[in-house]
Amino acid sequence: SAAARAPIADVFVPSKLFEIGIGTVWMSRHLPDGRYAAVGILVDTFCLGVKNALYKIFEPSEYPGFLVGIQGDPTQTLERTDAACARKLVEAALAYAKDLGFDPHPDFRIARLIFGDIDPAECPAEFTFGHNGKPLYINGPDESPAMQRRILKQLEQRCGPGGSDFFLEVRGGETVV
């Protein structure tokens, strides 16, 4: 609960989030005892909303290394953003996915507490989800063939035949569809 009211330290979003469809939104707050509370929320803007979330408390000496680590990720360039826009982005992704029938990762229940007193209505940005006007499911490395089938079935039930697209990476010779 202290993190929900502590001063905001840093907020980052991937600069090409809506082009690549997936990336981690990072937010941290400076706690009264000098430590930092940080969350990373893996957002899928094409389909699934919040795919993963993590929450960690950093000692003051660890925090600079954490920042170097997330900013040094070669798969995504991060840019600073306003906390209201980060919250609005995450909550809009949640709503988009919920409309498709998908729930957020269970760890989001705790990670979301960092948003605390931030008002998403203060963000003037508007976000458009999906890809080319419809959901696009791209499987992740931790999604089993059974999970992939469930996601594709849910999309077909919700969007109808041809109402969504998918791209599946085949691993180990297993075909999903």
Side-chain angles (χ1 to χ4, degrees), residues 84-102:
C85 288
R87 181 174 190 167
K88 184 175 181 178
L89 166 65
V90 170
E91 290 179 352
L94 284 168
Y96 180 76
K98 185 170 183 64
D99 185 57
L100 294 173
F102 302 112

Side-chain angles (χ1 to χ4, degrees), residues 1-20:
S1 66
R5 294 180 310 277
I8 295 165
D10 293 291
V11 185
F12 298 100
V13 296
S15 60
K16 296 186 180 187
L17 180 60
F18 286 89
E19 292 172 40
I20 46 181

Side-chain angles (χ1 to χ4, degrees), residues 40-59:
I41 301 168
L42 184 62
V43 176
D44 175 351
T45 63
F46 287 168
C47 185
L48 298 177
V50 173
K51 288 187 71 160
N52 206 342
L54 64 91
Y55 182 89
K56 184 167 169 110
I57 303 291
F58 290 96
E59 294 299 325

Side-chain angles (χ1 to χ4, degrees), residues 22-38:
I22 194 160
T24 305
V25 173
W26 295 99
M27 183 172 171
S28 60
R29 290 187 183 239
H30 196 187
L31 300 174
D33 65 3
R35 295 180 305 159
Y36 291 85

Side-chain angles (χ1 to χ4, degrees), residues 92-117:
L94 284 168
Y96 180 76
K98 185 170 183 64
D99 185 57
L100 294 173
F102 302 112
D103 292 323
H105 189 277
D107 291 344
F108 179 70
R109 191 179 82 250
I110 294 169
R112 72 187 171 114
L113 298 176
I114 203 160
F115 291 133
D117 57 358

Side-chain angles (χ1 to χ4, degrees), residues 140-163:
D142 298 328
E143 293 162 3
S144 69
M147 182 184 285
Q148 294 170 20
R149 282 189 290 276
R150 281 193 304 272
I151 291 168
L152 292 172
K153 182 178 178 183
Q154 174 61 32
L155 285 170
E156 186 170 359
Q157 287 176 344
R158 175 64 180 92
C159 304

